[in-house]
Amino acid sequence: MKTPSNSWVERSLQSVWHPCTQMQHHETMPLIPVSHGCGAWLVDMEGKRYLDGISSWWVNLFGHANPRINAALKQQLDQLEHAMLAGFTHEPVIRLSEKLSALTGGVLGHCFYASDGASATEIALKMSFHFWRNHGQTEKQEFICLKGSYHGETIGALAVTDVALFRDAYGPMIRNAHVVASPDARQAAEGESAIDVARRAAADMERCLQERADKIAAVILEPLVQCATGFAMHDPEYLRLVRALCDQYQVHLIADEIAVGCGRSGTFFACEIAQIWPDFVCLSKGISGGYLPLSLVMTRDNIYQGFYHTDVRRGFLHSHSYTGNPLACRAALATLEIFESDDVLAQNRVKADAITQALQPLAQHAQVKHFRQQGMMWAFDVEFDDAKDKQAAKTFSRRFFTQALQEELLLRPIGNTVYLMPPYILNQEEISLVGERMLKVFNHVMGETA
């Protein structure tokens, strides 16, 4: 007999502590018990479906229950589910490392694996710190991050995360980084362009490096889009300038492509748009197609060689039990095979144009500011009268999320920023549906405010 969905909700609320959630909010905000997924859709236990407009926290690239990724995983499951990567290796992790390196033209030729994005951040920070120590530059222990940056929620990752909520909660546990200006194009003054903002922000970075370069191990940033700070987008010129500054002042550049990589920005690696390569690239989320926990850090040969020594203390001291898990690596290989066989990047350019067109009624709405797009990411800000609508602004994201569910859409605004980050497989009917229903939800929620 089918168990009523409300029973599953009650059981979850009694036993599961949900992530990034004030659990009391679920006294009034719906918790959706998912039964299954198919393509761009999730289906709950009552049979109601929801178009996954945020790719289930930005991880799903080619739809739920993708038959090609499913088949690859089923085949791998009969061969090898897991073996430790210390002292052992296996075909999926070797092939994946080779393919990813080839995508960088061999510039980033070494992959170190973990399970989640925050762990990848930790690995890159530790690698940079340890590299300088191995080279006798033990004073290079500090990091630079951008205003509004987010790189994960473990302690090291929080050190380079500039989000007040986390700093207020965990500040005493954190070794703070230097925070410099964001190149967020929304900061453009009258008569300024996005490139002007990028250059101003790069100048602020240089001021910090002029003062602290001998103490700085690395700069960490999200190329092109700072996602968690409200999808702040910047001109590629910023990446070119920062790469040059890192070379000039001899500090590492860490590109956190956990959210913006894997084709999300328009090229497979976001840094390609600026025609630069960092010293470290962090990948997670979409790399396994949204199937299994997998993250990795790619780095250059000179950094790898900096740890290559007879002394174990000069080796990189980091490990995870499930490092390079064969199932996760096989899902990633299947994901890369889809990119290649379906010419996904070219198809996404066509699809992005169609989605941008479908969102034009929203883009032109009087209460919408800074409608923006990068690759397969869209965002806009909602304008409130601060004095009149303070409470409406405070509750906007939850009200929008709840109303969107009524229209079969899974969307989770960040504050007053609404964003769309769908799987790459939307068809024209689904694109039209998203555009029409997002506008309907927006009008409803803003109508409540009026």
Side-chain angles (χ1 to χ4, degrees):
M1 187 176 76
K2 183 179 179 182
T3 305
S5 63
N6 62 344
S7 173
W8 287 112
V9 169
E10 291 164 6
R11 287 167 63 180
S12 185
L13 292 175
Q14 288 298 315
S15 61
V16 180
W17 200 336
H18 294 266
C20 201
T21 299
Q22 170 49 262
M23 292 299 293
Q24 191 183 60
H25 289 168
H26 280 306
E27 291 182 6
T28 56
M29 193 169 78
L31 182 67
I32 309 300
V34 175
S35 166
H36 61 280
C38 182
W41 298 86
L42 292 169
V43 183
D44 71 17
M45 292 179 180
E46 298 293 334
K48 185 173 181 179
R49 64 180 194 162
Y50 309 90
L51 192 144
D52 191 351
I54 60 171
S55 297
S56 288
W57 255 351
W58 319 344
V59 302
N60 190 284
L61 301 189
F62 299 118
H64 299 281
N66 182 284
R68 285 186 276 181
I69 302 176
N70 286 359
L73 281 173
K74 289 172 184 175
Q75 182 185 51
Q76 183 61 45
L77 193 59
D78 287 333
Q79 293 177 303
L80 178 66
E81 82 300 341
H82 184 66
M84 66 179 184
L85 207 60
F88 292 83
T89 193
H90 51 77
E91 180 183 342
V93 78
I94 296 167
R95 289 179 56 212
L96 178 58
S97 302
E98 291 173 343
K99 281 181 173 289
L100 287 170
S101 177
L103 289 173
T104 72
V107 175
L108 302 171
H110 301 274
C111 296
F112 194 101
Y113 289 85
S115 301
D116 58 86
S119 294
T121 298
E122 300 275 346
I123 289 165
L125 296 174
K126 285 176 63 178
M127 275 186 180
S128 178
F129 169 90
H130 200 161
F131 173 89
W132 294 119
R133 189 181 77 171
N134 281 352
H135 282 72
Q137 295 177 264
T138 57
E139 71 283 1
K140 290 174 80 68
Q141 301 180 10
E142 300 173 7
F143 298 93
I144 298 176
C145 66
L146 306 187
K147 182 176 175 58
S149 58
Y150 174 89
H151 298 288
E153 294 165 34
T154 50
I155 297 303
L158 282 177
V160 290
T161 288
D162 181 44
V163 176
L165 180 69
F166 297 125
R167 288 196 176 277
D168 292 345
Y170 306 114
M173 302 174 68
I174 297 169
R175 182 179 180 180
N176 290 328
H178 300 280
V179 180
V180 298
S182 166
D184 181 357
R186 292 175 295 180
Q187 300 175 115
E190 187 175 353
E192 276 194 318
S193 67
I195 291 180
D196 294 326
V197 178
R199 289 171 178 160
R200 276 199 286 113
D204 191 52
M205 174 80 75
E206 183 164 23
R207 282 189 287 272
C208 185
L209 287 170
Q210 285 173 339
E211 295 175 5
R212 305 291 299 179
D214 60 335
K215 308 290 186 190
I216 301 296
V219 171
I220 184 169
L221 53 77
E222 287 181 278
L224 301 179
V225 186
Q226 292 179 258
C227 294
T229 193
F231 283 75
M233 299 184 184
H234 59 257
D235 192 274
E237 175 71 2
Y238 183 72
L239 302 178
R240 291 188 282 269
L241 292 171
V242 172
R243 174 69 273 180
L245 288 171
C246 288
D247 291 339
Q248 179 182 347
Y249 289 96
Q250 293 189 297
V251 302
H252 293 143
L253 176 58
I254 302 170
D256 174 355
E257 297 213 11
I258 292 163
V260 300
C262 301
R264 188 58 74 174
S265 298
T267 49
F268 189 84
F269 294 100
C271 285
E272 292 179 80
I273 291 177
Q275 297 182 311
I276 62 106
W277 290 112
D279 300 294
F280 303 89
V281 165
C282 302
L283 291 179
S284 189
K285 293 192 181 291
I287 189 61
S288 73
Y291 266 69
L292 288 165
L294 180 67
S295 68
L296 59 107
V297 175
M298 303 179 69
T299 193
R300 295 171 180 260
D301 188 61
N302 71 301
I303 291 172
Y304 174 82
Q305 292 298 331
F307 293 86
Y308 203 85
H309 200 273
T310 56
D311 187 347
V312 68
R313 292 170 299 180
R314 290 176 64 97
F316 184 53
L317 306 176
H318 195 98
S319 61
H320 293 269
S321 299
Y322 284 93
T323 293
N325 174 260
L327 287 167
C329 289
R330 189 65 190 89
L333 283 166
T335 299
L336 294 182
E337 287 161 9
I338 294 172
F339 268 102
E340 185 176 356
S341 63
D342 292 9
D343 198 8
V344 168
L345 297 176
Q347 292 297 321
N348 278 359
R349 288 192 287 272
V350 175
K351 205 155 288 189
D353 288 342
I355 294 172
T356 299
Q357 184 62 37
L359 295 177
Q360 282 310 296
L362 265 172
Q364 296 165 14
H365 198 286
Q367 287 176 281
V368 165
K369 290 182 66 179
H370 302 300
F371 180 87
R372 51 202 183 274
Q373 178 247 339
Q374 177 67 54
M376 290 292 285
M377 295 175 277
W378 293 262
F380 61 85
D381 304 325
V382 183
E383 187 170 45
F384 288 96
D385 182 313
D386 289 341
K388 178 183 175 184
D389 299 328
K390 188 174 182 180
Q391 185 59 29
K394 186 177 179 181
T395 62
F396 171 78
S397 61
R398 272 186 278 159
R399 290 186 293 120
F400 192 99
F401 166 73
T402 302
Q403 186 60 35
L405 293 177
Q406 299 302 311
E407 296 296 334
E408 297 187 321
L409 294 178
L410 171 55
L411 297 167
R412 286 175 61 101
I414 299 173
N416 294 342
T417 297
V418 178
Y419 73 91
L420 178 67
M421 204 170 180
Y424 302 160
I425 58 164
L426 297 190
N427 59 36
Q428 187 55 54
E429 181 181 351
E430 290 165 336
I431 289 171
S432 298
L433 181 150
V434 167
E436 293 164 5
R437 296 194 187 180
M438 281 185 72
L439 179 62
K440 183 177 179 181
V441 171
F442 183 78
N443 285 333
H444 180 93
V445 173
M446 299 310 289
E448 291 178 338
T449 303

